[in-house]
Amino acid sequence: MENNPLQLILNPRSIATVGAGNNPTKMGTIQALSIVKDGYPGKFYPLHPTEKEVFGFPAYKTAYDLPEPPDLVMFVLPAPLVVKIMEDFGKIGTKRAIVITAGFRETGVEGRQLEEQLKAVAARFGIRFLGPNCMGVINSDLPLNVTVCPLSGEPGLLGIASQSGTYITQTLPYLQDKGIRLAKAISVGNEGDLDLTDALDYLGSDQQCRAVALYIEGLKDVGRFLKVARRVTAQKPVVAQYVGGSDAGARAGSSHTGALAGPDNLYDGLFRQAGIIRVSTVEELYYHGWMLASQPPLKGKRIGVLTNSGGPGTAIAHTCNAGGLDVPPFSDNLQQEIRKHLPPHGAIGNPVDLTFHMDAEVISATLPDLILKSKEIDGLVIHGLMGTGFLKAIYPHVAELFGEMSAEEFTSHFERDLTKALSIPERYDLPVVVSSFFGREDNFTSAYRDRGIPVFDGPEKAAKAMLALYRYSLVRQRTADQKTVIPPVSARAQEIIGAAVHSGHRILDEYASKQILAAYGIPVCRELPARSINEAMEAASEIGYPLVLKGCSIDFAHKTGHGLVHLNLQDEIQLRSAYRKIGHAAGQEIPVLVAKMIKGERELMAGLTRHPAFGPAVLFGLGGVLAEALQDRTFRLAPLTSGDAFEMINEIKAAAIIGSYRGLPKVDLKVLASILQTVGNLGLLHPEIEAVDLNPVIISGADPVVVDALVVLNENVAAR
Amino acid sequence: MENNPLQLILNPRSIATVGAGNNPTKMGTIQALSIVKDGYPGKFYPLHPTEKEVFGFPAYKTAYDLPEPPDLVMFVLPAPLVVKIMEDFGKIGTKRAIVITAGFRETGVEGRQLEEQLKAVAARFGIRFLGPNCMGVINSDLPLNVTVCPLSGEPGLLGIASQSGTYITQTLPYLQDKGIRLAKAISVGNEGDLDLTDALDYLGSDQQCRAVALYIEGLKDVGRFLKVARRVTAQKPVVAQYVGGSDAGARAGSSHTGALAGPDNLYDGLFRQAGIIRVSTVEELYYHGWMLASQPPLKGKRIGVLTNSGGPGTAIAHTCNAGGLDVPPFSDNLQQEIRKHLPPHGAIGNPVDLTFHMDAEVISATLPDLILKSKEIDGLVIHGLMGTGFLKAIYPHVAELFGEMSAEEFTSHFERDLTKALSIPERYDLPVVVSSFFGREDNFTSAYRDRGIPVFDGPEKAAKAMLALYRYSLVRQRTADQKTVIPPVSARAQEIIGAAVHSGHRILDEYASKQILAAYGIPVCRELPARSINEAMEAASEIGYPLVLKGCSIDFAHKTGHGLVHLNLQDEIQLRSAYRKIGHAAGQEIPVLVAKMIKGERELMAGLTRHPAFGPAVLFGLGGVLAEALQDRTFRLAPLTSGDAFEMINEIKAAAIIGSYRGLPKVDLKVLASILQTVGNLGLLHPEIEAVDLNPVIISGADPVVVDALVVLNENVAAR
């Protein structure tokens, strides 16, 4: 972290602002005010061309007039003016900047040029900067807030980095209402210099951040992100929302930060590989982030559910179960203990349902204490804490019966001392989350939120937050080998690729493709090429029947459709006949492949694909006739650890067929994992390779065998 | 509706309450107060053993003391007392009751007996009742509110019926805050008499309810529910949350209302069949219900997205796309019009992104007007309306710069007149939904919510609400035949079943099973039974090679594993060999089936299953080797319309293989649909049949052919 340029951006001893004056209807002014008003302890130097003072602080005309080079300069003035003044600051020795100003790359050609100039100037003077087109940063610990909205309350626990500034500005009042306290927040904007990965790196090392939330529309260097993310998730939870996989989503995202959007399923694989918990809404980003930041880890799968109503209890239990958690019945002992405090029609098993009642002591203190103390659960979800919110709601109706009592007297009359209730969760060091339909108008909601016990506005949301803890516990349990081993380049593979390049072919034929795979130890079906019927007969006697005969020419891409593939040939007669048919189908004698017939009821597929920003990524999925219809696939970035490969294998929907399945033996997992790792290595060792298909990989007995394959080189290579 | 007993329960001219006194800490008192305080216009007759007056109304000791038999009696007194007093009301001629009281079926054996007594008394006097263990009803139109929480605001548009009382009581303040106004609400409790289906029927016919929301933990008579729901969804949208498919969920649900929980996927099929929009959280139940109730229908798929920030815009566009809606780029003309109102770094394409700014006129009035008027979209999602909420948030920082201005002066200084903005949506009769992180502290949020324009707290939520409209538009577009035709019982099928029953067999052998299918016209592979090799040879010559030979005995359930199935026999030699192997595998000579070998790359499955409360349900899914691993299945309740059957076929994940697929012809859909309908009819015509499996149904060319089948009779029949 010491080396992370963000350390100084979030902890400067002095800040200069450029463009903020005393007009409070300007966004820049409001942002500069946040620095001053939210208690920034360092020096504040406003630059202004005309004003003598800004917010009572002496104003300086230029960087050269400053008493010292500030640690950080923040730009809020129009885009065309930024570059020149950045240069001034470079000259006086300032090394960090935040460029709030919009109107750069996101606006088109001219803006792009302006951004390049900005980057050039910064690079010349060694200035590291956030933005342009960003909303700034928050460091609740220092404190430092340069965003539009005020920061309030205690220093927080959640770190957040966002490619959309709104999620750390417009949402601050929303977050404060929910009791979600940010530790640090970083808006990365156009990522002209420092990017989301730098921010993750920084938040990952920051002691104050107990969890990290990321809003992502597109990463520029996925490999670097993965490396950093893996390191961070081994230490603390990271949740992320990725948006941009759809057409309109990508269009919206690119007009915003100009970042590169990528296919949704690649990001899905990336997050799994990195141990990042993916969420699908910004509410989940905040809620799950806060749950992970504020609560102790979930040490097991047993969840207790405590409610004052059957509906929410059912929903919580169901949501927990659906996500893999258990809601086990309590022991007889514990049930008897609980029974003492419930009306006869209450339920004691788990979920515990007190049913509707007005005394909150039982649900907020007595029962949580009993249940947490029991050691029968690893986490607790409560629905039905309600005090002043409910009292205020019914006051208009009951007022008359309470005589002259005012609304305030009425609510305070029934208001409980929550000291005991609030202290219970921390006493047992187990995660607790509350669901309530009451907001801050209710004293329970307010007090719990202020105490750092999450209160979310719906039973399913509370349960899903508990599931986020569970998902992180699974990340921490990843035990498989996480090292990557990349073999040396195979001379044989290089030679085959070279030959293709030389002959101007982008697509390698099936034999050449499989030879490359074989050169790296991937099991391919035994096969020999032949250019005549005699060669084919010779090959057949070497390999032995039953055989497959295929036309092997890159001119015929979809072989099956052309009558160029003949399966399960039993003898010479059938071989000869098949050879003739291939010649007939192709309209001429073409090279053939004589291959061992591989049988197996299970067909898988693997492959290599490149996507801009991603580098080589490995695909694994269901193969065979259903592959296209079901698209049951998962991705990982190369290089793959064996852990990555095993996770891929277990992750497809059809994963059950990999094990002992309908009388078939368990697939040799080591070989299958090794195939996936090797496919990834191919992409790293041979940058000429654009894509690889291994489809199908038939499971013969327990053994994966590649039966068909295709290697495609990239356009530039083939054009050489 | 005239005949629906709920009509009078929600519109009584007089109500008696039993058990409510003047003690305002009792729930019963508070519920009775809601009647009086929320403006019920009819007569109110409190019964009380000791009080002279209740809430100033004269109290009566018994039913016999009342000046008239009330239309409705509401019980809030302890369970053991209810039956006797219900009888009193029966004697004086009251015909409707609400039993709020808990402590009946949900508590065990004694409670169950008590509930039976209650039902018996009610039946004796023709009293129809809601409950016991319910939270009552709301009729915002009358008005009548018997729930714990006060009702406020204008009469609503959303009807709701719930198997959990909390969702129409504890949540009322929450709903009022969101601007979600209920038309009618019905808590059905234990459903001792009137149930959720009655409630749906009533809300469906009620003119005030423009959409219906259902919270379901289990239905008692699914067939009846389906019939009613189909009728309702043809007229107005219905959303439903079903919770109870998981173990703990079911446990929680059953301890609550004692209703029968069922497997999640059966409910999923039921909802699709009924045209009900399923949601997965109670928040969605309310949000989608309100969107459907308050907004005009979505007439196309084109959505406009208008924001002040890239992040939410991207999320909205992405969510719309993922759910099947388009976010098309605007025409050049419209883009140029929009450009006039935006800063240069704003985006004009769609999503439109104004970027962060303080003047709300553009985003709330100018642009919505331009976009809605353009006819280029069918619905609009807006994020970024913010006024006083934002102003209050920044006031502490900017106060000083505004001199002596108070917070109130400050916000009112910047507060806009929203009259124009608010009138725009209704002017164009297109659905509009707003996403905002600001709650009622913001004047936009408040004003829009009060005007019936939904404001939801997150961009994805607003987009999903728009998707709910889209889902309902698809329900309304269902054009396929929705009639069911059930053929007469086949004598041949009856005979086969009779023979099995006679011989004491519950499981029919493969031949007999397929004969039943064939009797109803389901295409099965051509086959003949044989009891010796000679018979087998004879059959073979009649059917013709290639053949399949299978041992056909109910003693060998999993045939493949036992070496009892031999595929693709080409000639007499192979047939003889296979016959010998079967005898060897079985340890004795057993009957065999000689069947035509059916080849096809596509394998499907169909079946019939019975689940308590459901009656016969039809399964359709992917067959073959992957069936077990992928569980790609969908369900419908019998009888199936051809529309149901076609929807099932299109609904499985592997649906792509049904069409022209990888060079294979399109499956004969009429035959496939007819198979599914017939399987359903089997269950209706033959109550003895417990389950049927058609697996696989191989697609031979374009034709579905049942290759293996199993019919299982129910235990009682077999035991006769």
Side-chain angles (χ1 to χ4, degrees), chain A residues 62-278:
Chain A
T62 70
Y64 306 107
D65 302 322
L66 290 168
E68 60 170 335
D71 279 352
L72 175 68
V73 52
M74 177 170 91
F75 294 93
V76 293
L77 80 174
L81 306 174
V82 174
V83 177
K84 167 67 185 70
I85 302 179
M86 179 79 101
E87 192 170 0
D88 293 344
F89 276 90
K91 284 179 181 162
I92 66 167
T94 293
K95 295 294 181 197
R96 297 289 183 273
I98 298 177
V99 187
I100 303 291
T101 310
F104 287 87
R105 181 163 55 99
E106 77 279 11
T107 58
V109 180
E110 277 176 49
R112 194 174 295 269
Q113 286 169 352
L114 208 55
E115 189 161 320
E116 290 307 315
Q117 290 170 26
L118 184 70
K119 285 158 74 171
V121 167
R124 180 141 46 93
F125 293 99
I127 299 175
R128 305 303 306 269
F129 65 96
L130 266 181
N133 189 23
C134 78
M135 283 288 174
V137 298
I138 295 169
N139 176 352
S140 68
D141 201 29
L142 192 58
L144 169 64
N145 173 22
V146 310
T147 74
V148 175
C149 281
L151 188 67
S152 70
E154 295 287 295
L157 304 169
L158 176 64
I160 184 163
S162 177
Q163 288 183 336
S164 175
T166 209
Y167 290 147
I168 66 159
T169 49
Q170 284 181 40
T171 56
L172 285 184
Y174 164 93
L175 293 172
Q176 281 158 11
D177 176 65
K178 308 280 185 195
I180 297 173
R181 289 179 283 113
L182 302 182
K184 309 266 159 58
I186 301 168
S187 161
V188 296
N190 286 3
E191 303 183 323
D193 176 22
L194 295 165
D195 64 12
L196 194 88
T197 303
D198 295 306
L200 171 59
D201 184 35
Y202 174 73
L203 300 172
S205 320
D206 179 66
Q207 292 304 312
Q208 194 196 351
C209 296
R210 294 198 2 211
V212 179
L214 304 174
Y215 173 80
I216 302 175
E217 292 180 355
L219 295 167
K220 290 189 298 185
D221 180 347
V222 172
R224 187 171 147 252
F225 174 83
L226 174 60
K227 209 175 133 191
V228 171
R230 274 197 126 123
R231 198 176 61 228
V232 174
T233 61
Q235 303 298 326
K236 67 177 76 165
V238 178
V239 289
Q241 182 184 16
Y242 165 72
V243 180
S246 67
D247 282 0
R251 201 163 64 238
S254 71
S255 69
H256 179 228
T257 65
L260 200 68
D264 196 76
N265 45 13
L266 280 171
Y267 273 91
D268 209 68
L270 169 67
F271 290 153
R272 289 169 188 268
Q273 192 168 13
I276 288 174
I277 296 160
R278 187 177 185 181

Side-chain angles (χ1 to χ4, degrees), chain B residues 260-296:
Chain B
L260 200 67
D264 196 77
N265 44 14
L266 280 171
Y267 274 91
D268 209 69
L270 169 67
F271 291 153
R272 289 170 188 268
Q273 191 167 14
I276 289 175
I277 296 159
R278 186 177 186 181
V279 295
S280 58
T281 67
V282 69
E283 179 179 89
E284 284 182 351
L285 189 70
Y286 292 137
Y287 283 15
H288 295 191
W290 182 239
M291 184 76 182
L292 288 157
S294 67
Q295 295 303 297

Side-chain angles (χ1 to χ4, degrees), chain A residues 471-486:
Chain A
R471 288 168 73 186
Y472 186 60
S473 75
L474 297 179
V475 170
R476 290 302 296 270
Q477 284 164 30
R478 303 207 282 189
T479 50
D481 177 28
Q482 296 295 348
K483 275 186 212 122
T484 57
V485 181
I486 302 171

Side-chain angles (χ1 to χ4, degrees), chain B residues 496 507-518 524 692-693 709-712:
Chain B
I496 297 168
I507 298 174
L508 274 63
D509 69 40
E510 182 179 342
Y511 182 66
S513 297
K514 275 191 259 187
Q515 284 288 296
I516 292 175
L517 301 182
V524 300
V692 182
D693 279 354
L710 183 69
V711 170
V712 180

